[in-house]
Amino acid sequence: PAYTLKPGQPSPGAMSRLVTLSEDSGSGCSFDPNQEALIEELVKTIQGLGVDILSKDRRYYLKVYKKCFVGTAFVKFLIENNIADNVLEAVDIGRKLVDFDYIHHVVDDHHFKNEKLFYRWTYDDPADFEALSVQSVLNTCGVTIAGYLFNKRRYFWKRRYYILSAAESKLYIFSNELAKKPLHIYDLDTVPIVVSESKDVKEALYGFVIESEGNGSVSPFTIVCSTERMQTQEDWVRELTLAGANFEEEEMNSTETSIFDFVAVDLELEPIDFAEKYIGKVCLIVNVASM
């Protein structure tokens, strides 16, 4: 895009490269260091243009949020100061600043939007705010898998954002992908961890369990998870095992020696004896569960 530059602004080429994150930086990290340098350069430019004037204490119903700015005002600021040519570019820059942990929604419920939502620069967070955000964990090296899983808490399933850091041997659980601090952190190298497939799953999903008996300093825990795809279940079990967990496979106590030893049910739940119906015939068996 053609930008009208002011002294100290990043070049048009640098600005345009902010749009695309590197898929593989070659370092095993979530983000390309070159991208981080471009974002840092952009932030310094925005701050130099006096963006802090947008930040002030704002009230929403009965609660006051300290030093925050409005998404629509930030978009207008970027356009008026020639940082962005239009709303789409301004929103994209705002989303990059969230991704790189420079700004966040005041209660971490939204990514950046051109709406009347409150956002705050991380350097303006309250002094007693202990942040360990999703983005700060993802931006480190050693994250092997991350994504949403359904987590069973007593009788209900909650959708949570999980991150496994093999380098730290830690499993992080966040309320969502924008959260500024985790709900739980589990050290996988301080106590023996067992991971296994689970039959206690959310309806029509695939499950696995992460559990430990604990030790003198760590309490026992059990994490029951479900995922919508079998491949995702397999990926998590594999990465947890590579991170040091022991995989406990259910023992198969089967006495069948051929398909004709089985009895199944049809769509009307009527039993079908394979020996009676199919012996002597050519049978095609399809694993429909993984299709």
Side-chain angles (χ1 to χ4, degrees):
Y3 293 92
T4 303
L5 299 180
K6 294 191 176 183
Q9 279 191 259
S11 67
M15 294 291 291
S16 63
R17 289 199 300 274
L18 293 175
V19 175
T20 306
L21 294 176
S22 171
E23 294 183 359
D24 182 10
S25 65
S27 63
C29 303
S30 299
F31 291 107
D32 188 335
N34 294 329
Q35 290 284 347
E36 293 187 74
L38 289 172
I39 290 288
E40 184 177 359
E41 181 184 356
L42 175 63
V43 169
K44 290 179 180 178
T45 299
I46 294 174
Q47 292 171 343
L49 293 170
V51 72
D52 286 343
I53 196 174
L54 301 179
S55 298
K56 64 179 183 179
D57 296 352
R58 301 176 187 274
R59 180 184 296 275
Y60 184 73
Y61 289 104
L62 300 178
K63 185 172 178 62
V64 174
Y65 297 93
K66 300 287 187 179
K67 291 186 178 180
C68 60
F69 59 89
V70 180
T72 52
F74 188 68
V75 167
K76 182 179 179 182
F77 177 89
L78 294 179
I79 295 174
E80 288 182 347
N81 286 277
N82 302 313
I83 298 294
D85 275 349
N86 51 55
V87 171
L88 289 179
E89 288 181 8
V91 170
D92 187 72
I93 290 173
R95 294 179 69 86
K96 292 296 186 296
L97 295 181
V98 172
D99 290 341
F100 281 86
D101 216 23
Y102 282 99
I103 65 175
H104 67 99
H105 182 249
V106 290
V107 292
D108 302 316
D109 280 345
H110 299 274
H111 212 302
F112 185 80
K113 301 175 183 178
N114 182 33
E115 297 179 11
K116 293 182 178 180
L117 299 170
F118 295 169
Y119 297 89
R120 183 188 294 124
W121 291 93
T122 53
Y123 58 71
D124 280 334
D125 281 330
D128 59 349
F129 185 84
E130 297 180 5
L132 181 60
S133 68
V134 168
Q135 292 304 327
S136 66
V137 177
L138 290 177
N139 289 355
T140 62
C141 301
V143 172
T144 53
I145 189 170
Y148 280 102
L149 297 170
F150 289 97
N151 177 215
K152 189 171 186 180
R153 305 295 295 177
R154 295 188 178 181
Y155 307 107
F156 302 99
W157 291 92
K158 296 284 189 179
R159 191 169 182 258
R160 301 300 191 197
Y161 196 83
Y162 284 65
I163 301 176
L164 176 63
S165 174
E168 298 178 303
S169 293
K170 289 184 178 180
L171 177 67
Y172 297 86
I173 303 178
F174 293 86
S175 58
N176 59 55
E177 62 186 307
L178 301 172
K180 297 298 292 182
K181 55 184 177 182
L183 300 172
H184 305 283
I185 303 176
Y186 295 95
D187 289 307
L188 304 182
D189 59 353
T190 56
V191 292
I193 305 293
V194 174
V195 59
S196 60
E197 293 186 14
S198 172
K199 296 179 181 178
D200 181 17
V201 298
K202 188 174 172 64
E203 185 177 358
L205 301 186
Y206 304 93
F208 60 95
V209 176
I210 310 166
E211 54 189 338
S212 173
E213 295 181 355
N215 56 26
S217 58
V218 179
S219 301
F221 63 83
T222 300
I223 309 170
V224 182
C225 304
S226 287
T227 177
E228 296 171 321
R229 298 178 61 246
M230 179 183 291
Q231 185 61 54
T232 305
Q233 175 204 40
E234 294 175 353
D235 290 344
W236 273 98
V237 170
R238 181 187 67 250
E239 295 301 335
L240 285 163
T241 303
L242 291 174
N246 295 314
F247 178 64
E248 191 174 87
E249 192 168 5
E250 183 180 358
E251 294 185 7
M252 301 293 290
N253 298 318
S254 176
T255 58
E256 291 83 359
T257 58
S258 76
I259 66 168
F260 304 113
D261 293 330
F262 287 91
V263 175
V265 294
D266 61 17
L267 292 177
E268 283 71 41
L269 302 182
E270 296 295 329
I272 300 176
D273 189 317
F274 283 23
E276 291 181 2
K277 191 166 185 177
Y278 299 119
I279 197 165
K281 298 181 180 180
V282 176
C283 299
L284 175 64
I285 300 174
V286 181
N287 179 9
V288 295
S290 59
M291 291 183 67

